[in-house]
Amino acid sequence: MIASRLLRHWFTRLLAPDRHIREKYGHFKELLRSDSKALDLIADLDAHLYGHDPADMARIRFLLAQLTRGVGEMADCLGLMNPQAYEMLPHNLERISAEISRLVTQPPPAADPPYVLSLDQACDHPGQAGGKAANLSFARRHGVPTPPGFVVTASAFARYLRDNALEEEVELRFRDVSLSNHDAIVRATGELQELILAAEVPADVVAEMTDALRRSGLEGMRLAVRSSAVAEDGEISFAGQYASELDVAPGDVLGAYKRVLAGKYCPRAVAYRIRHGLTDFDTAMAVLVLPMVRARAAGVVYTRDPACAAVGGKAVGVYVVGGLAANLVDGSATPGKHYLSREPEPEILMGCACESAPMVDDNVLRELGAWCMRLEKVFGEPQDVEWALGPDGLVILQSRRLQQDEDRDAFSSEEAKAARLLVSDLDCASPGAACGPVFHVASGADFRSIPQGSVVVTASLRPALSQFLDRIAGIVAGSGSRASHLASVARERGVPVVVGCGPGVLAEGDVVTVDGGAGKIFEGCLPGVMAQSRDVERMHARIRAGNEDLAAVTVHLGLIDPEADNFTPEGCRSLHDVVRFCHEKSVAEMFSLVGRGGRGLGRSRRLVTELPLVMYVLDLGGGLSPQAGSKGPVGVELVDSAPLRAMWDGLADGRVTWDGSQLHVDWEEFDRVSSGIFRMDSRILASYAIIAREYMHLNIRFGYHFSIVDALCGDTPGANYVKFRFKGGGAALNQRAYRLIFVRDVLERFGYETVIRGDMLDASLARLGLGETARALNALGLVLAVTRLMDIRLADVPQAKREAASFMQNFFPEGAHE
């Protein structure tokens, strides 16, 4: 393949140079098209991998497949431009692609039995039972009172997806899903929920569930069918994200099971797992089946509740509502509160009655506190416990790691004293401090309109708000408590939440500071809060550190300096490196498109101009107006090439005086070879331009110095560039150096990067818009026009710098940039 490509390359270059130039330009255009697409993909992936816009892994895989394909096309185009120079690039790209595949490919989930585990077995198989069931099983094993039950495993979920051909559907629908694209989340999850609900539970899974109901003694009973995802109730809680079905009739257990599986794909749950860097595979859904508890009271317990200031925040907090705890955790009910000492046999410290909350006997509170402190000891850390008081006494329904908050002041007491206090004595549901403009929400329809950085005012702590915490600085609610799911997620995210603020207190749009820990709201934004917000942003950037290995071989750019020794195919360590390498080397290939002899320009046409300049142009397509015809000399007014047009306007600027008594050709070449044989307007001595509508390769010869300009100037800023080389002169070497200082000082004011080596200057700029690139080319044309014989009259560096300043004043009095 490489040998045949190389043979064709040299054959065309030697025997058909005109075709060689056209083909090379065609490969260059293809490479630039791929380059533009690749850079867009890299920008998207950069946002996803570094946490600016977290995305589902299916989207990352999809974008990486596109990027890998596009980078391969770039490498192929570069190889066609010069097969011999870059033969190692495909091998290195293959190595990078293999490493990416290793990092993003997940093994297929196990879909083998067991499909059901008893609650007693669940803690021995946490990867199958999920966090909620495994924790409850562990508590049961240590003597804590729990209901009987069983778990439908994660393997059963994998089997459900496989047998109903849903794995590919999940991958396909998550290709567009990132946190910033809420519409895509809603669309994808809605479609997946429909597919899951329409699917069938495999027959052997049904058989095991039926047998488990019988063995657990749950036949004929009303049931609670609850989510127990693999990642649930672990390091992150997933509080309130998944669905649970309560009071399920025995004949509807399969329907409830499917609804819980479908709940895995509700919008807020998907947003939550993506925010925490988890894949769909990481959150395989197991389902916990328990008997319903006919509770007269229920609630949650925090074994270390900082909301109680009576003992310095070190108390067991018990939150109580009547009936089941659903109204408590969904934020719609305000509970009764009781605080107990943190001892194996707790004592009651204080209580706060609520009209809607039932009275609970002190002995029951002490017993509950003792069981919860035992759970803290068993699990080795403070716990968030769900409980119920039924006909048979206390039962524990759930125990998970308590999301604890850092104990630090949001801002100084001096700041608080100086600020105007708007509201105080609010309940803290999530500590911390934040400031922003007030935004009122009345219903779910308002959530999507929440502006970035707002302090949201709401009637209650609705779980659906958790999906929008990225936009929210703080939350002020009329009712709710620390025990709500939203408050739990807010604590994970560091979003302050206060409860108990009445309607009409905070006006829409007013900027306020919420101090969650103190239960206060201040006017304006306190300086300490702004500094804390920057700390939170840095913390979220660190959360994305799990993507570092993937970023290192995809979006990280290590090839910075084209002159460095490692700027080679072997030096490419990432796809971004390959993109940079291909772009730089393709431009370099075009820069050396034609040698000084002008080989391949046999079909070029003389440019008719009033300037004393001999120039020939070769049109590759779109560089000349259709009115120019196909043969013979062509007037400069018929040039349609954007870069040549812009540069020619500088060369032909009416403020520059040209000496019409002599033609500007390659005098050095004329001295060397002519001896009177060649005419002064010969192609061998002339300047020439290879042009297209957006492209120009110009070799311009003025006496004893020559310049090369290679440029792309079009509507795609990412593809635009100018490369310029200026060399030679008829004066002494030091005078030529002074002229280069002039050129450097002027060009750098237009954004060019310059390097001087001996009597040669290289300059470049890249990735500017059409107007800026055209302006830079116009300035370059002016520089070439005024410096034709400048070296002969320059005496020293200060004079060169004065001339540069005078040039700018005369030609660009408004400055280099408009």
Side-chain angles (χ1 to χ4, degrees):
M1 174 72 175
I2 294 177
S4 62
R5 180 181 288 183
L6 185 60
L7 182 64
R8 185 182 185 281
H9 170 79
W10 283 109
F11 179 86
T12 308
R13 184 171 182 176
L14 293 172
L15 300 182
D18 177 72
R19 192 174 81 186
H20 170 72
I21 290 172
R22 293 177 185 276
E23 287 183 353
K24 196 168 188 177
Y25 175 65
H27 299 320
F28 179 59
K29 286 200 300 181
E30 286 297 322
L31 188 149
L32 290 181
R33 275 193 284 268
S34 295
D35 175 78
S36 178
K37 294 176 184 175
L39 291 175
D40 285 340
L41 289 167
I42 286 170
D44 288 342
L45 282 163
D46 189 89
H48 298 333
L49 293 176
Y50 288 118
H52 307 297
D53 180 23
D56 190 88
M57 183 53 72
R59 174 163 177 78
I60 291 172
R61 280 192 290 264
F62 177 64
L63 294 179
L64 282 174
Q66 290 184 296
L67 178 59
T68 302
R69 185 165 54 250
V71 173
E73 291 168 357
M74 291 182 69
D76 192 53
C77 288
L78 183 61
L80 289 168
M81 293 177 77
N82 189 339
Q84 190 173 14
Y86 311 111
E87 60 181 343
M88 292 305 297
L89 187 58
H91 300 292
N92 209 41
L93 180 57
E94 186 177 338
R95 177 189 60 78
I96 294 169
S97 299
E99 178 62 11
I100 292 170
S101 179
R102 184 187 70 81
L103 290 170
V104 301
T105 302
Q106 293 181 307
D112 302 321
Y115 298 129
V116 171
L117 295 170
S118 71
L119 189 56
D120 292 326
Q121 297 171 308
C123 62
D124 296 325
H125 307 278
Q128 285 285 356
K132 186 181 295 179
N135 287 357
L136 192 61
S137 173
F138 195 64
R140 183 179 178 86
R141 184 166 293 183
H142 286 80
V144 176
T146 71
F150 63 89
V151 188
V152 188
T153 63
S155 288
F157 173 67
R159 175 74 183 282
Y160 188 91
L161 293 181
R162 191 187 71 185
D163 283 16
N164 291 284
L166 295 178
E167 294 164 314
E168 296 81 3
E169 299 290 348
V170 171
E171 184 78 11
L172 178 65
R173 280 161 176 77
F174 280 143
R175 283 181 177 181
D176 296 328
V177 168
S178 68
L179 286 188
S180 67
N181 193 345
H182 179 73
D183 289 342
I185 294 175
V186 172
R187 182 173 61 253
T189 53
E191 291 173 358
L192 286 173
Q193 286 181 319
E194 286 185 13
L195 288 169
I196 286 173
L197 291 173
E200 295 295 329
V201 182
D204 45 352
V205 175
V206 174
E208 288 198 32
M209 290 175 65
T210 303
D211 186 56
L213 283 167
R214 179 184 55 77
R215 286 187 286 106
S216 302
L218 301 181
E219 283 184 307
M221 299 179 65
R222 308 294 287 193
L223 302 170
V225 182
R226 308 188 67 180
S227 67
S228 183
V230 170
E232 192 174 358
D233 287 356
E235 287 297 312
I236 53 177
S237 69
F238 278 87
Q241 304 304 311
Y242 293 133
S244 287
E245 295 281 320
L246 302 180
D247 206 27
V248 175
D252 191 32
V253 67
L254 289 180
Y257 172 67
K258 290 166 64 172
R259 291 191 292 273
V260 172
L261 294 187
K264 179 182 189 298
Y265 297 107
C266 78
R268 68 172 180 265
V270 168
Y272 183 93
R273 75 158 172 81
I274 291 173
R275 189 186 318 285
H276 286 87
L278 298 173
T279 67
D280 190 64
F281 178 84
D282 295 329
T283 55
M285 182 60 74
V287 175
L288 176 61
V289 180
L290 301 172
M292 280 297 296
V293 177
R294 298 302 171 192
R296 65 179 183 85
V300 298
V301 173
Y302 298 134
T303 61
R304 184 184 181 95
D305 191 344
C308 177
V311 289
K314 297 178 180 179
V316 175
V318 180
Y319 295 78
V320 184
V321 293
L324 295 172
N327 292 339
L328 172 61
V329 295
D330 72 9
S332 61
T334 299
K337 304 170 192 174
H338 305 270
Y339 296 105
L340 285 64
S341 62
R342 283 178 42 80
E343 298 169 337
E345 299 295 331
E347 294 297 327
I348 297 173
L349 301 175
M350 59 184 295
C352 175
C354 176
E355 292 181 4
S356 61
M359 294 296 295
V360 178
D361 186 83
D362 287 353
N363 290 329
V364 173
L365 289 173
R366 293 190 188 96
E367 181 188 358
L368 177 60
W371 283 125
C372 291
M373 288 306 296
R374 184 168 183 177
L375 285 169
E376 180 176 306
K377 183 178 181 181
V378 165
F379 285 103
E381 58 185 339
Q383 294 291 290
D384 173 352
V385 182
E386 183 182 340
W387 61 275
L389 180 61
D392 299 322
L394 283 170
V395 288
I396 301 301
L397 302 175
Q398 182 176 354
S399 186
R400 63 185 171 208
R401 176 177 178 266
L402 177 64
Q403 300 295 329
Q404 298 182 81
D405 318 300
E406 290 186 22
D407 186 16
R408 68 175 184 177
D409 292 332
F411 37 78
S412 68
S413 57
E414 289 76 13
E415 286 181 293
K417 289 178 182 177
R420 182 185 172 211
L421 181 64
L422 299 177
V423 189
S424 61
D425 298 324
L426 301 174
D427 291 332
C428 170
S430 176
C435 63
V438 170
F439 185 80
H440 289 264
V441 295
S443 67
D446 298 327
F447 294 171
R448 293 175 63 183
S449 302
I450 296 172
Q452 188 71 35
S454 298
V455 170
V456 169
V457 179
T458 176
S460 62
L461 297 179
R462 298 177 58 182
L465 266 176
S466 65
Q467 188 180 346
F468 302 90
L469 285 178
D470 268 351
R471 308 180 190 178
I472 296 173
I475 299 175
V476 179
S479 65
S481 73
R482 280 180 55 84
S484 68
H485 288 320
L486 176 60
S488 181
V489 177
R491 290 193 293 274
E492 290 179 1
R493 300 298 316 284
V495 176
V497 181
V498 292
V499 176
C501 184
V505 176
L506 301 178
E508 185 85 6
D510 284 357
V511 175
V512 300
T513 293
V514 177
D515 182 355
K520 296 178 179 179
I521 302 175
F522 297 91
E523 184 180 63
C525 192
L526 276 63
V529 175
M530 290 188 285
Q532 189 183 81
S533 297
R534 290 191 291 270
D535 291 340
V536 170
E537 288 176 7
R538 286 193 290 270
M539 178 192 74
H540 289 313
R542 289 197 296 272
I543 289 173
R544 296 292 114 191
N547 291 325
E548 285 180 357
D549 289 346
L550 185 56
V553 291
T554 55
V555 300
H556 175 71
L557 181 61
L559 290 188
I560 304 298
D561 182 6
E563 302 300 320
D565 292 339
N566 72 330
F567 204 87
T568 63
E570 296 81 1
C572 295
R573 296 286 182 267
S574 69
L575 292 179
H576 201 169
D577 285 345
V578 179
V579 171
R580 174 68 187 276
F581 179 83
C582 289
H583 183 273
E584 289 293 330
K585 292 301 182 182
S586 67
V587 171
E589 288 291 334
M590 297 305 292
F591 193 66
S592 59
L593 187 62
V594 180
R596 191 164 179 175
R599 183 174 175 81
L601 299 175
R603 298 184 183 180
S604 60
R605 303 167 66 183
R606 174 79 182 266
L607 191 67
V608 179
T609 170
E610 294 181 357
L611 297 182
L613 182 66
V614 180
M615 180 175 288
Y616 288 80
V617 295
L618 176 65
D619 183 16
L620 300 178
L624 295 177
S625 167
Q627 284 73 38
S630 58
K631 295 181 180 179
V634 59
V636 71
E637 72 278 2
L638 297 177
V639 171
D640 279 352
S641 171
L644 181 55
R645 184 80 262 168
M647 189 165 175
W648 194 269
D649 287 345
L651 282 169
D653 191 295
R655 293 169 292 181
V656 179
T657 302
W658 288 76
D659 180 3
S661 64
Q662 58 181 350
L663 288 176
H664 289 272
V665 296
D666 189 343
W667 294 346
E668 181 181 348
E669 187 73 1
F670 180 78
D671 291 345
R672 186 175 71 84
V673 301
S674 72
S675 300
I677 297 173
F678 296 112
R679 292 170 47 190
M680 290 291 284
D681 62 352
S682 165
R683 291 175 189 259
I684 293 178
L685 307 178
S687 300
Y688 56 81
I690 301 169
I691 58 174
R693 182 172 297 278
E694 297 181 344
Y695 176 70
M696 172 186 72
H697 180 87
L698 173 66
N699 191 317
I700 191 165
R701 303 169 181 185
F702 288 140
Y704 290 97
H705 80 264
F706 73 93
S707 301
I708 299 174
V709 184
D710 197 80
L712 197 76
C713 180
D715 293 326
T716 306
N720 291 341
Y721 70 89
V722 181
K723 287 184 74 72
F724 169 60
R725 174 167 289 175
F726 187 99
K727 181 175 173 58
L733 180 61
N734 62 330
Q735 290 178 296
R736 282 181 265 162
Y738 301 151
R739 178 166 59 181
L740 294 185
I741 290 171
F742 169 91
V743 175
R744 180 196 66 192
D745 281 10
V746 172
L747 292 186
E748 287 184 350
R749 301 191 191 196
F750 289 88
Y752 287 89
E753 296 180 9
T754 65
V755 177
I756 294 176
R757 302 180 184 88
D759 71 340
M760 182 175 74
L761 176 142
D762 283 315
S764 63
L765 59 77
R767 305 191 187 281
L768 299 179
L770 173 62
E772 292 173 281
T773 305
R775 184 170 169 79
L777 283 164
N778 178 265
L780 184 56
L782 268 168
V783 167
L784 289 176
V786 302
T787 58
R788 283 163 290 142
L789 301 175
M790 179 182 282
D791 55 336
I792 296 174
R793 59 183 173 82
L794 289 178
D796 52 30
V797 172
Q799 182 185 357
K801 289 184 170 293
R802 287 195 301 273
E803 294 265 1
S806 176
F807 173 91
M808 292 300 299
Q809 183 61 41
N810 292 334
F811 291 100
F812 298 96
E814 77 283 6
H817 300 285
E818 293 179 332

